[in-house]
């Protein structure tokens, strides 16, 4: 035990002595004047209280700050982070009613989910907000540049896209709940699932600063061609079981490497003889350009230039997320149209051959699923991933998306979001796997 936990014996109360004491003891210490990066919870002008809790049951100490975000545990046992008196210590507490209630400090105060009651003309809450003099977040970056969720993590904000239907009104509360549940079942049954496939551009020449010269390398063009063939198969379908997917549009950022990638992808989809719905090619969108979406953790103290870039790039990339990530509009689908999936997959068409009456089968995409393809950049994709799943965006740099990789989301009619693929490069052989100028995986 001594070798595993170092000075654990010196920091803990011996079990025999603790049992003899027979009660929970606590000692309050003032905050040291010297703050460290791991210990900085409040601004320098404020005092942080630490509490040492010892248990007479098993003998361990817990040193905690007066914040849910920083624990220093001197024990291998898991603890409840929400109260100074933990679950393991409750049996020994002489007055459980005096527990300190959970209250976060750094994040925004938890807000009741008023998704069904808020004004739909207002933007859903959540984002970066604050004043210049709010100080630093753990000594890393301005607190005003910290993303603050609408609801405390890990709660799910149902109206994240501002499209959550209001409850069905009725004078009777129970009747309103019944009608709302019935309406929601119809949405789940007849609504359209939106599929978003994010593709990072192919490998490009990074030796130039001018965007027009930062074009794909020969390997990058091969990566894009392979990606186009994979998407073409997805659009056309293979058979009844692996049917076609209704790709409505291919979008792209306004940077040269992304536009070149999108052009090569489109040319390799092999849609010249495709008799299904045409795939739209959207105009380049500068909102999707690469940039610094927000700060990243772990990371050191942000330089002034990084703070400025975050102020410049974050609003644009956040606007792009709000523009493209949302549930599909609720179409007018007769209930009978959604009864049989097979009927929506298989259609027949008369042939022009001399054999009259002979019909051929063709695959038809399921109308309850619509796909969009967005060709953009690694930082943007990683930020979209965190935002779509309502995870802290500051974790974006912990993810890695290779060139021409696919990151694939589904947004259900009810607003739930899931990620089916993250940085998938299964369509590329090993010799085509790159992350920028890094080749293979030994880096």
């Amino acid at each position: 035990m001594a070798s595993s936990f170092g000075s654990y014996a010196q920091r803990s109360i011996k079990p025999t002595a603790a049992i003899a004491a027979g009660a929970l003891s606590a000692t309050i210490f003032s905050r040291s004047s010297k703050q460290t990066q791991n210990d900085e919870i409040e601004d320098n002008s404020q005092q942080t209280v630490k509490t040492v809790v010892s248990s007479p049951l098993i003998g361990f100490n817990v040193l905690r700050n007066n914040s849910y975000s920083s624990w220093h545990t001197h024990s291998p046992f898991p603890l409840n982070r929400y109260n100074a008196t933990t679950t393991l210590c409750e049996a020994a507490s002489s007055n459980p009613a005096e527990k300190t209630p959970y209250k976060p400090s750094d994040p925004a105060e938890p807000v009741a989910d008023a998704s069904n009651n808020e004004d739909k003309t207002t933007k859903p809450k959540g984002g970066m907000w604050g004043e210049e003099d709010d100080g630093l977040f753990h000594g890393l970056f301005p607190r005003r540049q910290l993303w603050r969720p609408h609801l405390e993590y890990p709660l799910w904000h149902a109206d994240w896209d501002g499209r959550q239907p209001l409850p069905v009104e009725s004078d009777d509360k129970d009747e309103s709940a019944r009608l709302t549940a019935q309406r929601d079942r119809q949405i789940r049954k007849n609504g359209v699932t939106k599929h978003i496939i994010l593709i990072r551009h192919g490998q490009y020449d990074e030796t130039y600063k001018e965007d027009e010269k930062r074009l794909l390398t020969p390997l990058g063009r091969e990566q894009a061609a392979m990606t186009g063939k994979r998407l073409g198969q997805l659009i056309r379908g293979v058979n009844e079981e692996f049917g076609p997917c209704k790709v409505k549009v291919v979008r792209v950022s306004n940077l040269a490497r992304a536009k070149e990638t999108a052009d090569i992808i489109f040319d390799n989809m092999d849609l010249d003889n495709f008799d299904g719905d045409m795939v739209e090619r959207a105009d380049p969108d500068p909102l999707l350009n690469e940039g610094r979406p927000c700060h990243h953790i772990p990371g050191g103290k942000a330089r002034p230039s990084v703070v400025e870039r975050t102020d410049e790039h974050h609003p644009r990339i956040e606007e792009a997320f709000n523009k493209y990530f949302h549930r599909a509009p609720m179409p007018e689908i007769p209930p009978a149209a959604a009864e049989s999936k097979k009927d929506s997959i298989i259609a027949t068409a008369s042939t022009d051959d001399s054999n009259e009456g002979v019909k051929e089968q063709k695959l038809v995409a399921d109308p309850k699923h619509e796909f969009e393809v967005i060709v953009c950049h690694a930082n943007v994709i990683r930020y979209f991933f965190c935002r779509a799943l309502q995870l802290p965006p500051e974790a974006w740099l912990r993810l890695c998306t290779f060139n021409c990789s696919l990151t694939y989301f589904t947004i259900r009619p009810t607003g739930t979001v899931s990620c089916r693929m993250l940085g998938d490069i299964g369509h590329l052989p090993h010799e085509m796997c790159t992350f920028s100028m890094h080749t293979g995986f030994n880096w």
Side-chain angles (χ1 to χ4, degrees):
M1 180 67 71
S3 61
S4 300
F5 298 97
S7 58
Y8 172 81
Q10 299 176 3
R11 296 186 302 227
S12 303
I13 298 177
K14 295 181 180 180
T16 54
I19 293 174
L24 185 68
S25 62
T27 305
I28 308 300
F29 296 95
S30 298
R31 180 180 178 83
S32 172
S33 59
K34 182 178 180 181
Q35 293 178 320
T36 63
Q37 176 177 319
N38 292 333
D39 195 33
E40 186 172 3
I41 305 302
E42 301 293 339
D43 296 337
N44 292 338
S45 60
Q46 299 177 352
Q47 184 184 49
T48 298
V49 179
K50 296 178 181 178
T51 305
V52 177
V53 181
S54 61
S55 169
L57 300 179
I58 53 177
F60 63 85
N61 291 347
V62 180
L63 176 62
R64 64 160 289 186
N65 284 321
N66 189 23
S67 167
Y68 80 97
S69 59
S70 181
W71 276 90
H72 304 278
T73 304
H74 294 192
S75 168
F77 302 103
L79 303 176
N80 184 336
R81 65 174 184 170
Y82 297 116
N83 296 294
T85 51
T86 67
T87 303
L88 291 175
C89 297
E90 283 181 352
S93 177
S94 60
N95 192 355
E98 296 182 355
K99 298 175 186 176
T100 303
Y102 163 67
K103 182 178 180 182
S105 54
D106 281 318
E109 292 285 345
V111 181
D113 190 359
S115 301
N116 293 328
N117 300 318
E118 64 187 4
D119 182 359
K120 294 303 174 181
T121 62
T122 62
K123 184 179 179 180
K125 297 178 182 179
M128 294 183 183
W129 50 269
E131 303 297 335
E132 288 288 344
D133 58 356
D134 280 348
L136 298 179
F137 178 73
H138 289 251
L140 299 175
F141 52 80
R143 194 181 300 274
R144 64 176 177 80
Q145 290 185 329
L146 172 70
W147 179 268
R148 309 195 184 224
H150 177 73
L151 295 177
E152 176 199 354
Y153 296 120
L155 296 177
W156 179 261
H157 180 205
D159 194 31
W160 61 274
D161 59 350
R163 300 191 179 199
Q164 181 78 0
L166 294 171
V168 179
E169 294 184 359
S170 176
D171 295 336
D172 183 80
K173 184 177 180 181
D174 293 337
E175 180 66 7
S176 174
R178 187 188 68 81
L179 293 175
T180 300
Q182 184 181 41
R183 186 272 316 278
D184 292 344
R185 285 194 296 271
Q186 289 299 314
I187 291 177
R188 284 192 294 269
K189 180 178 180 181
N190 297 329
V192 173
T193 295
K194 185 174 183 177
H195 302 249
I196 300 178
I197 300 177
L198 305 176
I199 302 177
R200 190 191 175 195
H201 56 78
Q203 186 191 59
Y204 70 103
D205 189 342
E206 301 182 29
T207 59
Y208 297 97
K209 293 184 177 181
E210 301 86 356
D211 177 63
E212 62 272 12
K213 295 181 180 179
R214 294 160 75 89
L215 301 176
L216 299 185
T217 63
L219 176 56
R221 290 192 286 272
E222 291 184 56
Q223 293 169 337
M226 296 286 288
T227 306
K229 293 177 181 178
R230 180 177 184 179
L231 289 181
Q233 189 177 55
L234 178 140
I235 294 172
R236 294 189 304 274
V238 178
N239 50 38
E240 179 182 350
E241 185 177 5
F242 296 92
C245 299
K246 184 180 180 181
V247 177
K248 296 182 62 178
V249 60
V250 175
R251 307 186 189 279
V252 63
S253 84
N254 198 38
L255 296 183
R257 55 190 182 273
K259 291 188 287 188
E260 186 180 6
T261 300
D263 288 341
I264 296 175
I265 286 176
F266 209 93
D267 291 342
N268 284 271
M269 286 182 179
D270 191 20
L271 301 180
D272 293 339
N273 299 321
F274 180 61
D275 57 358
D277 294 334
M278 296 301 297
V279 180
E280 176 190 354
R281 298 183 67 172
D283 293 332
D285 187 353
L287 293 178
L288 294 166
N289 287 2
E290 184 64 300
R292 183 180 181 85
C294 64
H295 294 288
H296 57 80
I297 299 175
K301 183 176 181 180
R303 301 186 303 274
S305 60
V306 174
V307 173
E308 292 177 5
R309 286 203 305 274
T310 303
D311 281 334
E312 177 186 357
H313 297 163
H314 169 76
R316 169 180 59 80
I317 299 175
E318 175 64 16
E319 182 180 352
F321 174 80
N322 291 323
K323 181 177 181 179
Y324 296 119
F325 276 75
H326 53 77
R327 68 196 84 185
M330 183 62 187
E332 294 294 335
I333 301 179
E339 292 298 328
S340 174
K341 182 177 179 181
K342 180 176 289 187
D343 291 341
S344 66
I345 295 296
I346 300 296
T348 57
S350 299
T351 63
D352 296 332
D353 298 338
S354 57
N355 297 328
E356 294 183 2
V358 176
K359 296 184 178 181
E360 63 179 5
Q361 285 187 339
K362 77 170 183 177
L363 300 174
V364 178
D366 190 332
K368 292 170 60 178
H369 295 268
E370 295 181 349
F371 290 71
E372 291 188 9
V373 175
I374 302 177
V375 181
C376 53
H377 307 270
N379 295 357
V380 175
I381 292 172
R382 292 182 280 190
Y383 178 78
F384 284 179
F385 174 91
C386 295
R387 286 285 288 111
L389 300 184
Q390 298 188 21
L391 302 174
E394 290 81 9
W396 66 270
L397 197 57
R398 304 175 199 176
L399 308 173
C400 185
T401 53
F402 277 50
N403 294 110
C404 280
S405 62
L406 276 60
T407 300
Y408 170 20
F409 298 92
T410 58
I411 305 176
R412 296 296 183 185
T414 54
T416 58
V417 182
S418 62
C419 179
R420 290 184 171 179
M421 301 177 188
L422 171 62
D424 179 24
I425 50 175
H427 55 290
L428 300 178
H430 179 66
E431 62 271 17
M432 288 189 183
C433 296
T434 63
F435 182 88
S436 298
M437 301 309 292
H438 297 288
T439 57
F441 303 97
N442 294 315
W443 51 272

